[in-house]
Amino acid sequence: MAEFQTSIEIEAPPERVFDHLVTEAGLTAWMGQSAHLDARVEGVFAVDIAGHPVRGRFVEITRPHRVVVSWGFAGSDDLPPGASTVSFELSATPLGTRVDLVHSGLPETEVPGHRDGWDHFVPRLELAATGRDPGIDTWSPRP
Protein backbone atom coordinates (compact mmCIF):
# COMPACT_ATOMS: atom_id res chain seq x y z
CA MET A 1 0.00 0.00 0.00
CA ALA A 2 1.09 3.55 -0.67
CA GLU A 3 0.36 7.01 0.63
CA PHE A 4 0.09 10.57 -0.58
CA GLN A 5 1.17 13.55 1.52
CA THR A 6 0.75 17.27 1.08
CA SER A 7 0.59 20.37 3.24
CA ILE A 8 -0.56 23.95 3.03
CA GLU A 9 -0.50 27.01 5.25
CA ILE A 10 -3.82 28.81 5.54
CA GLU A 11 -4.29 32.32 6.90
CA ALA A 12 -7.15 31.29 9.17
CA PRO A 13 -7.28 29.99 12.74
CA PRO A 14 -7.27 26.21 13.30
CA GLU A 15 -10.86 26.31 14.59
CA ARG A 16 -12.13 27.72 11.28
CA VAL A 17 -10.14 25.25 9.19
CA PHE A 18 -11.30 22.40 11.44
CA ASP A 19 -14.95 23.34 10.81
CA HIS A 20 -14.34 22.89 7.08
CA LEU A 21 -13.44 19.26 7.77
CA VAL A 22 -16.29 18.24 10.07
CA THR A 23 -19.40 20.12 8.92
CA GLU A 24 -21.41 19.43 5.79
CA ALA A 25 -21.51 23.09 4.73
CA GLY A 26 -17.81 23.51 5.47
CA LEU A 27 -16.73 20.39 3.58
CA THR A 28 -18.86 21.01 0.50
CA ALA A 29 -17.59 24.60 0.32
CA TRP A 30 -14.32 23.15 -0.99
CA MET A 31 -14.89 19.48 -1.86
CA GLY A 32 -17.84 17.54 -3.18
CA GLN A 33 -21.35 18.37 -4.21
CA SER A 34 -23.10 16.85 -1.20
CA ALA A 35 -22.09 15.38 2.14
CA HIS A 36 -23.54 13.57 5.11
CA LEU A 37 -21.30 13.83 8.15
CA ASP A 38 -21.75 12.62 11.72
CA ALA A 39 -18.60 14.14 13.20
CA ARG A 40 -17.93 11.78 16.08
CA VAL A 41 -15.73 8.72 16.34
CA GLU A 42 -17.35 5.94 14.25
CA GLY A 43 -19.77 8.53 12.80
CA VAL A 44 -20.59 8.52 9.09
CA PHE A 45 -18.31 10.28 6.63
CA ALA A 46 -19.97 10.43 3.20
CA VAL A 47 -19.24 12.88 0.42
CA ASP A 48 -20.10 12.72 -3.26
CA ILE A 49 -17.29 14.07 -5.45
CA ALA A 50 -17.84 14.39 -9.19
CA GLY A 51 -20.32 11.52 -9.12
CA HIS A 52 -18.08 9.31 -6.99
CA PRO A 53 -19.55 8.28 -3.61
CA VAL A 54 -16.78 8.44 -0.99
CA ARG A 55 -17.82 6.47 2.07
CA GLY A 56 -16.14 5.91 5.41
CA ARG A 57 -16.20 6.76 9.09
CA PHE A 58 -14.65 9.33 11.37
CA VAL A 59 -11.76 7.55 13.09
CA GLU A 60 -10.39 10.36 15.25
CA ILE A 61 -11.53 13.88 16.02
CA THR A 62 -9.48 16.16 18.26
CA ARG A 63 -10.76 19.72 17.98
CA PRO A 64 -9.11 21.81 16.53
CA HIS A 65 -5.98 19.78 15.81
CA ARG A 66 -6.74 16.49 14.08
CA VAL A 67 -9.34 14.77 11.94
CA VAL A 68 -8.92 11.21 10.65
CA VAL A 69 -11.44 9.52 8.38
CA SER A 70 -11.57 6.18 6.63
CA TRP A 71 -12.06 6.56 2.88
CA GLY A 72 -13.18 4.47 -0.06
CA PHE A 73 -15.78 4.36 -2.83
CA ALA A 74 -19.17 2.70 -2.71
CA GLY A 75 -19.22 -0.11 -5.26
CA SER A 76 -15.44 -0.20 -5.74
CA ASP A 77 -13.45 -3.42 -5.58
CA ASP A 78 -10.12 -1.55 -5.78
CA LEU A 79 -10.81 0.89 -2.93
CA PRO A 80 -14.03 -0.07 -1.11
CA PRO A 81 -15.57 2.11 1.61
CA GLY A 82 -13.21 2.58 4.53
CA ALA A 83 -10.23 0.87 2.85
CA SER A 84 -7.85 3.83 3.16
CA THR A 85 -7.31 6.58 5.72
CA VAL A 86 -7.07 10.35 5.37
CA SER A 87 -5.61 12.35 8.25
CA PHE A 88 -5.60 16.12 8.60
CA GLU A 89 -3.16 17.54 11.17
CA LEU A 90 -3.80 21.20 11.99
CA SER A 91 -1.04 23.21 13.67
CA ALA A 92 -1.28 26.84 14.69
CA THR A 93 1.30 29.05 13.00
CA PRO A 94 2.04 32.79 13.23
CA LEU A 95 -0.01 33.27 10.04
CA GLY A 96 -2.85 30.87 10.86
CA THR A 97 -2.85 27.11 10.36
CA ARG A 98 -0.60 24.55 8.75
CA VAL A 99 -2.56 21.59 7.41
CA ASP A 100 -0.68 18.34 6.87
CA LEU A 101 -2.71 15.81 4.91
CA VAL A 102 -1.74 12.14 4.67
CA HIS A 103 -3.82 9.72 2.61
CA SER A 104 -2.56 6.23 3.46
CA GLY A 105 -3.52 2.68 2.60
CA LEU A 106 -3.90 3.44 -1.11
CA PRO A 107 -3.26 0.76 -3.71
CA GLU A 108 -0.44 1.95 -6.01
CA THR A 109 -2.92 2.21 -8.87
CA GLU A 110 -5.00 4.72 -6.88
CA VAL A 111 -2.17 7.13 -6.00
CA PRO A 112 -2.11 9.18 -9.24
CA GLY A 113 -5.85 9.84 -9.18
CA HIS A 114 -5.85 10.77 -5.51
CA ARG A 115 -2.79 12.99 -5.97
CA ASP A 116 -4.65 14.79 -8.77
CA GLY A 117 -7.72 15.16 -6.58
CA TRP A 118 -5.91 16.40 -3.48
CA ASP A 119 -3.78 18.79 -5.57
CA HIS A 120 -7.07 20.27 -6.79
CA PHE A 121 -9.01 20.28 -3.52
CA VAL A 122 -6.42 21.43 -0.94
CA PRO A 123 -6.09 24.92 -2.50
CA ARG A 124 -9.89 25.11 -2.50
CA LEU A 125 -9.81 24.41 1.26
CA GLU A 126 -7.53 27.42 1.65
CA LEU A 127 -9.95 29.64 -0.28
CA ALA A 128 -13.00 28.45 1.66
CA ALA A 129 -11.35 28.66 5.09
CA THR A 130 -10.22 32.24 4.42
CA GLY A 131 -13.72 33.31 3.43
CA ARG A 132 -13.12 33.40 -0.31
CA ASP A 133 -15.39 31.64 -2.77
CA PRO A 134 -13.62 28.72 -4.49
CA GLY A 135 -16.35 28.81 -7.16
CA ILE A 136 -18.30 25.93 -8.59
CA ASP A 137 -16.20 22.80 -8.57
CA THR A 138 -15.74 21.35 -12.05
CA TRP A 139 -13.05 18.80 -11.16
CA SER A 140 -13.44 15.27 -12.43
CA PRO A 141 -11.05 12.32 -12.31
CA ARG A 142 -8.69 11.97 -15.24
CA PRO A 143 -9.41 8.95 -17.42
Side-chain angles (χ1 to χ4, degrees), residues 65-128:
H65 304 291
R66 184 169 166 81
V67 175
V68 180
V69 297
S70 63
W71 179 286
F73 298 101
S76 172
D77 291 330
D78 296 328
L79 192 65
S84 65
T85 303
V86 179
S87 67
F88 299 89
E89 287 284 336
L90 284 63
S91 306
T93 68
L95 293 177
T97 306
R98 177 183 168 94
V99 178
D100 293 301
L101 180 150
V102 178
H103 193 156
S104 58
L106 288 169
E108 287 288 341
T109 57
E110 293 288 324
V111 173
H114 282 83
R115 176 183 299 112
D116 181 56
W118 288 121
D119 285 348
H120 171 80
F121 288 114
V122 169
R124 290 176 57 83
L125 171 59
E126 177 185 21
L127 291 172

Coordinates of all heavy atoms in Angstrom, one line a residue, residues 65-128:
H65 N -7.3 20.2 16.3 CA -6.0 19.8 15.8 C -5.9 18.6 14.9 O -4.9 18.5 14.1 CB -5.1 19.5 17.0 CG -5.0 20.6 18.0 ND1 -4.3 21.7 17.7 CD2 -5.6 20.7 19.2 CE1 -4.4 22.6 18.8 NE2 -5.2 22.0 19.7
R66 N -6.9 17.7 14.9 CA -6.7 16.5 14.1 C -8.1 15.9 13.7 O -9.0 15.8 14.5 CB -6.0 15.5 14.9 CG -5.6 14.2 14.2 CD -4.6 13.4 15.0 NE -4.5 12.0 14.6 CZ -3.7 11.6 13.6 NH1 -3.1 12.5 12.9 NH2 -3.7 10.3 13.3
V67 N -8.2 15.5 12.4 CA -9.3 14.8 11.9 C -8.8 13.6 11.1 O -8.0 13.8 10.2 CB -10.3 15.6 11.0 CG1 -11.4 14.8 10.5 CG2 -10.8 16.8 11.8
V68 N -9.3 12.4 11.4 CA -8.9 11.2 10.6 C -10.2 10.5 10.2 O -11.1 10.3 11.0 CB -8.1 10.2 11.5 CG1 -7.7 9.0 10.7 CG2 -6.8 10.9 12.0
V69 N -10.3 10.2 8.9 CA -11.4 9.5 8.4 C -11.0 8.3 7.6 O -9.9 8.3 7.0 CB -12.3 10.4 7.5 CG1 -12.9 11.6 8.3 CG2 -11.6 10.9 6.3
S70 N -11.8 7.3 7.6 CA -11.6 6.2 6.6 C -12.2 6.6 5.3 O -13.1 7.4 5.3 CB -12.1 4.9 7.2 OG -13.5 4.9 7.3
W71 N -11.7 6.0 4.2 CA -12.1 6.6 2.9 C -12.1 5.4 1.9 O -11.2 4.6 1.8 CB -11.0 7.6 2.5 CG -11.1 8.3 1.2 CD1 -10.8 7.7 0.0 CD2 -11.4 9.6 0.9 NE1 -11.0 8.7 -1.0 CE2 -11.4 9.8 -0.5 CE3 -11.8 10.7 1.8 CZ2 -11.6 11.1 -1.0 CZ3 -12.1 11.9 1.2 CH2 -12.0 12.1 -0.2
G72 N -13.1 5.4 1.1 CA -13.2 4.5 -0.1 C -14.4 4.8 -0.9 O -15.1 5.8 -0.6
F73 N -14.7 4.1 -1.9 CA -15.8 4.4 -2.8 C -16.8 3.3 -2.8 O -16.5 2.1 -3.0 CB -15.2 4.5 -4.3 CG -14.3 5.7 -4.4 CD1 -12.9 5.4 -4.4 CD2 -14.7 7.0 -4.4 CE1 -12.0 6.5 -4.5 CE2 -13.8 8.0 -4.5 CZ -12.5 7.8 -4.6
A74 N -18.1 3.7 -2.6 CA -19.2 2.7 -2.7 C -19.1 2.0 -4.1 O -19.0 2.7 -5.1 CB -20.5 3.4 -2.5
G75 N -19.2 0.7 -4.0 CA -19.2 -0.1 -5.3 C -17.9 -0.4 -5.9 O -17.8 -1.1 -6.9
S76 N -16.8 0.0 -5.2 CA -15.4 -0.2 -5.7 C -14.8 -1.5 -5.2 O -14.9 -1.7 -4.0 CB -14.5 1.0 -5.4 OG -13.2 0.7 -5.7
D77 N -14.2 -2.3 -6.0 CA -13.4 -3.4 -5.6 C -12.0 -3.0 -5.3 O -11.4 -3.6 -4.4 CB -13.4 -4.5 -6.6 CG -14.8 -5.2 -6.8 OD1 -15.6 -5.2 -5.8 OD2 -15.1 -5.6 -8.0
D78 N -11.5 -2.0 -6.0 CA -10.1 -1.5 -5.8 C -9.9 -0.8 -4.5 O -8.9 -0.9 -3.8 CB -9.7 -0.7 -7.0 CG -9.6 -1.5 -8.3 OD1 -9.4 -2.7 -8.2 OD2 -9.9 -0.9 -9.3
L79 N -10.9 0.1 -4.1 CA -10.8 0.9 -2.9 C -12.2 1.0 -2.3 O -12.9 2.0 -2.4 CB -10.2 2.3 -3.3 CG -9.8 3.1 -2.1 CD1 -8.7 2.5 -1.3 CD2 -9.5 4.5 -2.6
P80 N -12.7 -0.1 -1.7 CA -14.0 -0.1 -1.1 C -14.1 0.9 0.1 O -13.1 1.3 0.6 CB -14.2 -1.5 -0.7 CG -12.9 -2.1 -0.5 CD -12.0 -1.3 -1.4
P81 N -15.4 1.2 0.5 CA -15.6 2.1 1.6 C -14.7 1.7 2.8 O -14.6 0.6 3.2 CB -17.1 1.9 1.9 CG -17.7 1.6 0.6 CD -16.6 0.7 0.0
G82 N -14.0 2.8 3.3 CA -13.2 2.6 4.5 C -11.9 1.9 4.3 O -11.2 1.7 5.3
A83 N -11.5 1.6 3.1 CA -10.2 0.9 2.8 C -9.0 1.7 3.1 O -7.9 1.1 3.4 CB -10.2 0.3 1.4
S84 N -9.0 3.0 2.9 CA -7.9 3.8 3.2 C -8.2 4.8 4.3 O -9.3 4.9 4.8 CB -7.4 4.5 1.9 OG -8.4 5.5 1.4
T85 N -7.2 5.6 4.6 CA -7.3 6.6 5.7 C -6.8 7.9 5.3 O -5.7 8.0 4.7 CB -6.5 6.1 7.0 OG1 -7.0 4.8 7.3 CG2 -6.8 7.0 8.1
V86 N -7.5 9.0 5.6 CA -7.1 10.4 5.4 C -7.0 11.0 6.7 O -7.9 11.1 7.5 CB -8.0 11.1 4.5 CG1 -7.6 12.6 4.3 CG2 -8.2 10.4 3.1
S87 N -5.8 11.6 7.0 CA -5.6 12.4 8.2 C -5.3 13.8 7.9 O -4.5 14.1 7.0 CB -4.5 11.7 9.1 OG -3.3 11.9 8.5
F88 N -5.9 14.7 8.7 CA -5.6 16.1 8.6 C -5.0 16.5 9.9 O -5.7 16.5 11.0 CB -6.9 16.9 8.3 CG -7.6 16.6 7.1 CD1 -8.6 15.6 7.0 CD2 -7.3 17.3 5.9 CE1 -9.2 15.3 5.9 CE2 -8.0 17.0 4.7 CZ -9.0 16.0 4.7
E89 N -3.8 17.0 10.0 CA -3.2 17.5 11.2 C -3.2 19.1 11.0 O -2.7 19.6 10.0 CB -1.7 17.1 11.3 CG -1.5 15.7 11.7 CD -1.8 15.4 13.2 OE1 -1.7 16.4 14.0 OE2 -2.1 14.3 13.5
L90 N -3.7 19.7 12.0 CA -3.8 21.2 12.0 C -2.9 21.7 13.1 O -3.1 21.4 14.3 CB -5.2 21.7 12.2 CG -6.2 21.5 11.0 CD1 -6.4 20.1 10.6 CD2 -7.5 22.2 11.3
S91 N -2.0 22.6 12.7 CA -1.0 23.2 13.7 C -1.1 24.7 13.5 O -1.0 25.3 12.4 CB 0.4 22.8 13.4 OG 0.5 21.4 13.3
A92 N -1.3 25.4 14.7 CA -1.3 26.8 14.7 C 0.1 27.4 14.3 O 1.1 26.8 14.7 CB -1.7 27.4 16.1
T93 N 0.1 28.4 13.5 CA 1.3 29.1 13.0 C 1.1 30.6 13.2 O 0.0 31.0 13.5 CB 1.6 28.8 11.5 OG1 0.6 29.5 10.7 CG2 1.6 27.3 11.2
P94 N 2.2 31.3 13.1 CA 2.0 32.8 13.2 C 1.0 33.4 12.2 O 0.4 34.4 12.5 CB 3.4 33.3 13.0 CG 4.3 32.2 13.4 CD 3.6 31.0 13.0
L95 N 0.9 32.8 11.1 CA 0.0 33.3 10.0 C -1.4 32.6 10.1 O -2.3 33.1 9.4 CB 0.6 33.1 8.6 CG 1.8 33.9 8.3 CD1 2.4 33.5 6.9 CD2 1.5 35.4 8.4
G96 N -1.5 31.5 10.8 CA -2.8 30.9 10.9 C -2.7 29.4 11.2 O -2.5 29.0 12.3
T97 N -2.8 28.6 10.1 CA -2.9 27.1 10.4 C -2.1 26.4 9.3 O -2.2 26.7 8.1 CB -4.3 26.6 10.3 OG1 -5.1 27.3 11.2 CG2 -4.4 25.1 10.6
R98 N -1.2 25.5 9.7 CA -0.6 24.6 8.7 C -1.4 23.3 8.8 O -1.7 22.7 9.8 CB 0.8 24.2 9.2 CG 1.5 23.2 8.2 CD 2.9 22.9 8.7 NE 3.4 21.7 8.0 CZ 4.2 21.8 6.9 NH1 4.5 22.9 6.4 NH2 4.6 20.7 6.3
V99 N -1.8 22.8 7.6 CA -2.6 21.6 7.4 C -1.6 20.6 6.7 O -1.1 20.8 5.6 CB -3.8 21.8 6.5 CG1 -4.6 20.5 6.4 CG2 -4.7 22.9 7.1
D100 N -1.4 19.5 7.4 CA -0.7 18.3 6.9 C -1.7 17.2 6.6 O -2.3 16.7 7.5 CB 0.4 17.9 7.8 CG 1.5 18.9 8.0 OD1 2.1 19.3 7.0 OD2 1.7 19.3 9.2
L101 N -1.8 16.8 5.3 CA -2.7 15.8 4.9 C -1.9 14.6 4.5 O -0.9 14.7 3.8 CB -3.5 16.3 3.7 CG -4.5 15.3 3.1 CD1 -5.7 16.1 2.5 CD2 -4.0 14.4 2.1
V102 N -2.3 13.4 5.0 CA -1.7 12.1 4.7 C -2.9 11.2 4.3 O -3.8 10.9 5.1 CB -0.9 11.5 5.8 CG1 -0.3 10.2 5.4 CG2 0.2 12.5 6.2
H103 N -2.8 10.7 3.1 CA -3.8 9.7 2.6 C -3.1 8.4 2.5 O -2.2 8.2 1.6 CB -4.4 10.1 1.3 CG -5.6 9.3 0.9 ND1 -6.6 9.8 0.1 CD2 -6.1 8.1 1.3 CE1 -7.6 8.9 -0.1 NE2 -7.2 7.8 0.7
S104 N -3.3 7.5 3.4 CA -2.6 6.2 3.5 C -3.5 5.0 3.2 O -4.7 5.1 3.2 CB -1.9 6.1 4.8 OG -2.9 6.1 5.8
G105 N -2.8 3.9 2.9 CA -3.5 2.7 2.6 C -4.1 2.6 1.2 O -5.0 1.9 0.9
L106 N -3.5 3.4 0.3 CA -3.9 3.4 -1.1 C -3.2 2.4 -1.9 O -2.0 2.2 -1.8 CB -3.6 4.8 -1.7 CG -4.4 6.0 -1.3 CD1 -3.8 7.3 -1.8 CD2 -5.8 5.8 -1.8
P107 N -3.9 1.6 -2.7 CA -3.3 0.8 -3.7 C -2.4 1.6 -4.6 O -2.8 2.8 -4.9 CB -4.4 0.1 -4.5 CG -5.6 0.2 -3.6 CD -5.4 1.5 -2.8
E108 N -1.3 1.2 -5.1 CA -0.4 2.0 -6.0 C -1.2 2.5 -7.2 O -1.0 3.7 -7.6 CB 0.7 1.1 -6.5 CG 1.8 0.8 -5.5 CD 2.6 2.1 -5.1 OE1 2.7 3.0 -5.9 OE2 3.2 2.0 -4.1
T109 N -2.2 1.8 -7.7 CA -2.9 2.2 -8.9 C -3.8 3.4 -8.6 O -4.2 4.1 -9.5 CB -3.8 1.1 -9.4 OG1 -4.7 0.6 -8.4 CG2 -2.9 -0.1 -10.0
E110 N -4.1 3.6 -7.3 CA -5.0 4.7 -6.9 C -4.3 6.0 -6.6 O -4.9 7.1 -6.4 CB -5.8 4.3 -5.7 CG -6.8 3.2 -5.9 CD -8.0 3.7 -6.7 OE1 -8.4 4.8 -6.5 OE2 -8.5 2.9 -7.6
V111 N -2.9 5.9 -6.4 CA -2.2 7.1 -6.0 C -2.3 8.3 -7.0 O -2.5 9.4 -6.6 CB -0.7 6.8 -5.7 CG1 0.1 8.0 -5.4 CG2 -0.7 5.8 -4.5
P112 N -2.1 8.0 -8.3 CA -2.1 9.2 -9.2 C -3.4 9.9 -9.2 O -3.5 11.2 -9.2 CB -1.8 8.5 -10.6 CG -1.1 7.3 -10.3 CD -1.6 6.8 -9.0
G113 N -4.5 9.2 -9.2 CA -5.8 9.8 -9.2 C -6.1 10.6 -7.9 O -6.7 11.7 -7.9
H114 N -5.7 10.1 -6.8 CA -5.9 10.8 -5.5 C -4.9 12.0 -5.4 O -5.3 13.0 -4.9 CB -5.7 9.8 -4.3 CG -6.9 9.0 -4.1 ND1 -7.2 7.8 -4.9 CD2 -8.0 9.2 -3.4 CE1 -8.4 7.4 -4.5 NE2 -8.9 8.1 -3.6
R115 N -3.7 11.8 -5.9 CA -2.8 13.0 -6.0 C -3.4 14.1 -6.8 O -3.5 15.3 -6.3 CB -1.4 12.6 -6.6 CG -0.5 13.8 -6.8 CD 0.8 13.5 -7.4 NE 1.6 12.5 -6.7 CZ 1.8 11.3 -7.1 NH1 1.4 10.9 -8.3 NH2 2.5 10.4 -6.3
D116 N -4.0 13.8 -7.9 CA -4.6 14.8 -8.8 C -5.8 15.4 -8.0 O -6.0 16.7 -8.0 CB -5.1 14.1 -10.1 CG -5.8 15.1 -11.0 OD1 -5.2 16.1 -11.3 OD2 -7.0 14.8 -11.4
G117 N -6.6 14.6 -7.3 CA -7.7 15.2 -6.6 C -7.3 16.1 -5.4 O -7.8 17.2 -5.3
W118 N -6.4 15.6 -4.6 CA -5.9 16.4 -3.5 C -5.2 17.7 -3.9 O -5.4 18.7 -3.3 CB -5.0 15.6 -2.5 CG -5.8 14.6 -1.7 CD1 -5.6 13.2 -1.7 CD2 -6.9 14.8 -0.9 NE1 -6.5 12.6 -0.9 CE2 -7.3 13.5 -0.4 CE3 -7.6 15.9 -0.5 CZ2 -8.4 13.4 0.5 CZ3 -8.7 15.8 0.4 CH2 -9.1 14.5 0.9
D119 N -4.4 17.6 -5.0 CA -3.8 18.8 -5.6 C -4.8 19.8 -6.0 O -4.6 21.0 -6.0 CB -2.9 18.4 -6.7 CG -1.6 17.8 -6.3 OD1 -1.2 17.8 -5.1 OD2 -0.8 17.3 -7.2
H120 N -6.0 19.4 -6.4 CA -7.1 20.3 -6.8 C -7.8 20.8 -5.6 O -8.1 22.0 -5.5 CB -8.1 19.5 -7.7 CG -9.3 20.3 -8.0 ND1 -9.4 21.3 -8.9 CD2 -10.5 20.2 -7.4 CE1 -10.6 21.8 -8.9 NE2 -11.3 21.2 -8.0
F121 N -8.1 19.9 -4.6 CA -9.0 20.3 -3.5 C -8.3 21.0 -2.4 O -8.9 21.9 -1.8 CB -9.7 19.0 -3.0 CG -10.8 18.5 -3.9 CD1 -10.7 17.3 -4.5 CD2 -11.9 19.3 -4.2 CE1 -11.6 16.9 -5.4 CE2 -12.9 18.9 -5.1 CZ -12.7 17.6 -5.7
V122 N -7.1 20.7 -2.1 CA -6.4 21.4 -0.9 C -6.4 22.9 -1.1 O -6.7 23.7 -0.2 CB -5.0 20.8 -0.6 CG1 -4.2 21.6 0.3 CG2 -5.2 19.4 -0.1
P123 N -6.0 23.5 -2.3 CA -6.1 24.9 -2.5 C -7.5 25.5 -2.4 O -7.7 26.6 -1.9 CB -5.6 25.1 -3.9 CG -4.7 24.0 -4.2 CD -5.4 22.8 -3.5
R124 N -8.5 24.7 -2.7 CA -9.9 25.1 -2.5 C -10.2 25.2 -1.0 O -11.0 26.1 -0.6 CB -10.9 24.2 -3.2 CG -10.8 24.3 -4.7 CD -11.7 23.3 -5.4 NE -13.1 23.4 -5.1 CZ -13.9 24.2 -5.6 NH1 -13.6 25.1 -6.5 NH2 -15.2 24.2 -5.2
L125 N -9.6 24.3 -0.2 CA -9.8 24.4 1.3 C -9.3 25.7 1.7 O -9.9 26.4 2.6 CB -9.1 23.3 2.0 CG -9.0 23.3 3.5 CD1 -10.4 23.4 4.1 CD2 -8.2 22.1 4.0
E126 N -8.1 26.1 1.2 CA -7.5 27.4 1.6 C -8.5 28.6 1.3 O -8.7 29.4 2.2 CB -6.2 27.6 1.0 CG -5.6 29.0 1.3 CD -4.3 29.3 0.6 OE1 -4.1 28.7 -0.5 OE2 -3.6 30.2 1.0
L127 N -9.0 28.6 0.1 CA -10.0 29.6 -0.3 C -11.2 29.7 0.6 O -11.6 30.7 1.1 CB -10.4 29.5 -1.7 CG -9.3 29.7 -2.8 CD1 -9.8 29.3 -4.2 CD2 -8.8 31.1 -2.8
A128 N -11.8 28.5 0.8 CA -13.0 28.4 1.7 C -12.7 28.9 3.1 O -13.5 29.6 3.7 CB -13.6 27.0 1.6

